[in-house]
Amino acid sequence: MLDFFHGQESLSGIEWILRSVVTFIFLLLAVKVMGSRAISQLRLLDFVMALMLGNIIAHPLSDHRIGLKGSVISTIVIIVLYLIGIFLNLKWTWLRNTIESSPIPLIKEGEISYKGLKKARISIDTLLAELRKEKIADIKKVALAFWESDGKISIFLDPQYEAITPSTYQLQTEPFDLPRTLIKEGKIDYQALNQSNKDEEWLINMLKVQYKTEISEILLTTIDNKSNLQVFLY
């Protein structure tokens, strides 16, 4: 019954399916045991899917003695298991909580949780490095920090250390304006130029009058909704 576990000259379709199912479940458990750092910012199912498909597809491409039958069957089975896993993950909360670990508190009210560090299997150096990435030098300013299931750290500053924004004082601001790229590496983007309701003659004149330069000398030129140009030369 367990012949598919052992090496053989050839495997039947059912044996290939059984191998795929067992390997898929085994990898889920193995990665779960290794912890969220092994997932490398991917969901557990996504990580296992990528890991298995990479190996399944690579073998027949690198070894002429291996046929495509087993790889095709295994790939189909893995994809089906992946889709089933996603469906069940959305449907059953208990399964989602089992596969994807709950956030682990690392910092609470400015105090480091050593228990949380051990559970997340990260060092104090890793925690400090993540805080530096968020431009946080003082741990006491952190209200909460969680180690998420995808290997990232969510950080929440104490409200008194949050940056002041116009909304803090209920100030009116102008709508967000994403500048359009008119020139890139000495070439005009005519579609962006038309969307800005400008023509090539206007652009050339503006560059000559305001910047005393030519299109071929420009690395990047952008325009905002108020027709203001920003020019970067080579």
Side-chain angles (χ1 to χ4, degrees), residues 177-184 202-203 206-207 210-211 213 218-233:
D177 179 15
L178 180 64
R180 292 188 178 93
T181 299
L182 297 185
I183 301 174
K184 183 167 60 177
W202 174 88
L203 179 60
M206 289 292 290
L207 293 173
Q210 292 189 7
Y211 299 94
T213 188
I218 294 174
L219 175 64
L220 178 69
T221 295
T222 62
I223 187 171
D224 60 21
N225 287 336
K226 294 182 179 179
S227 298
N228 296 317
L229 294 178
Q230 279 199 339
V231 177
F232 303 88
L233 301 177

Side-chain angles (χ1 to χ4, degrees), residues 64-233:
H64 66 278
R65 294 169 297 178
I66 301 176
L68 284 174
K69 173 188 172 184
S71 295
V72 171
I73 293 175
S74 298
T75 300
I76 293 172
V77 172
I78 297 304
I79 292 173
V80 171
L81 289 173
Y82 175 74
L83 295 176
I84 291 174
I86 291 178
F87 174 77
L88 296 179
N89 222 21
L90 296 172
K91 186 176 181 62
W92 292 337
T93 304
W94 66 268
L95 180 61
R96 183 165 61 249
N97 293 336
T98 300
I99 294 178
E100 299 180 6
S101 303
S102 300
I104 301 172
L106 302 179
I107 300 175
K108 185 175 182 181
E109 297 178 357
E111 296 295 332
I112 298 174
S113 170
Y114 181 65
K115 182 179 178 181
L117 290 177
K118 287 182 64 177
K119 188 175 181 180
R121 300 175 190 172
I122 64 172
S123 66
I124 189 69
D125 290 330
T126 301
L127 176 61
L128 293 176
E130 293 298 325
L131 291 175
R132 288 195 296 270
K133 290 178 184 178
E134 299 297 327
K135 308 295 189 295
I136 299 173
D138 188 354
I139 296 175
K140 293 293 184 182
K141 294 181 180 180
V142 178
L144 282 172
F146 292 101
W147 181 260
E148 304 290 354
S149 60
D150 62 355
K152 296 180 181 178
I153 295 181
S154 300
I155 301 171
F156 302 91
L157 287 175
D158 190 292
Q160 63 179 320
Y161 299 113
E162 290 281 2
I164 296 175
T165 64
S167 63
T168 306
Y169 298 103
Q170 298 181 344
L171 300 176
Q172 293 292 329
T173 58
E174 295 185 1
F176 174 74
D177 179 15
L178 180 64
R180 292 188 178 93
T181 299
L182 297 185
I183 301 174
K184 183 167 60 177
E185 297 178 347
K187 296 181 180 179
I188 298 175
D189 185 333
Y190 289 99
Q191 182 177 357
L193 193 63
N194 292 332
Q195 291 174 349
S196 303
N197 297 318
K198 306 295 181 183
D199 56 26
E200 185 176 355
E201 182 179 355
W202 174 88
L203 179 60
I204 293 173
N205 288 335
M206 289 292 290
L207 293 173
K208 285 183 177 179
V209 173
Q210 292 189 7
Y211 299 94
K212 295 181 173 47
T213 188
E214 297 180 354
I215 293 174
S216 60
E217 299 176 352
I218 294 174
L219 175 64
L220 178 69
T221 295
T222 62
I223 187 171
D224 60 21
N225 287 336
K226 294 182 179 179
S227 298
N228 296 317
L229 294 178
Q230 279 199 339
V231 177
F232 303 88
L233 301 177

